[in-house]
Amino acid sequence: MNPMYPAVLKVIPKENYHIEIYYENGEVKLFDVNPYIQGDWYGQLKDYPYFCSVHPHPITKDTIQWAGGQDIAAHELYEHSKLV
C-alpha cells in the first residue's frame, strides 16, 4: 500500500461509468471512468455488468480493480476524483 493515499474501503458503480469511492480517511469521492474506456483492455468496461464488478484492489488497498485485472493508478484515482 502506498502511504501517500488512503485505503479504499468500498466502491459503488454509478450510472454513466462513474464510481463512488469510500476512503479510510472518511472522504467520499466520485471518479469518471469514461476517459479510460477504450482499447482492448479497458474497452471491456463498456459492458456495464462487467463495469459493476469493480472492487477495492485486494493487494494494494489504495486503488480499485475489475474482475479481469484492470485497475487505475492510486494517484490518478485519488487526485482526479471529486469530493462528494
Side-chain angles (χ1 to χ4, degrees):
M1 184 165 112
N2 184 337
M4 290 181 57
Y5 301 100
V8 174
L9 299 177
K10 180 169 71 170
V11 184
I12 300 174
K14 302 300 237 181
E15 293 180 353
N16 214 17
Y17 299 99
H18 286 72
I19 53 174
E20 193 171 77
I21 309 151
Y22 291 77
Y23 286 98
E24 70 177 347
N25 65 0
E27 290 179 316
V28 178
K29 292 188 161 199
L30 191 65
F31 185 80
D32 182 1
V33 182
N34 282 290
Y36 296 83
I37 302 176
Q38 55 189 323
D40 292 336
W41 181 243
Y42 286 101
Q44 295 176 33
L45 302 178
K46 287 179 187 173
D47 175 28
Y48 192 73
Y50 182 81
F51 174 78
C52 290
S53 74
V54 67
H55 56 274
H57 196 288
I59 297 170
T60 65
K61 311 286 188 214
D62 59 1
T63 192
I64 57 170
Q65 184 179 45
W66 281 269
Q70 298 91 338
D71 62 2
I72 296 175
H75 73 276
E76 287 185 48
L77 188 68
Y78 191 77
E79 294 172 12
H80 298 282
S81 57
K82 297 178 181 176
L83 283 171
V84 175

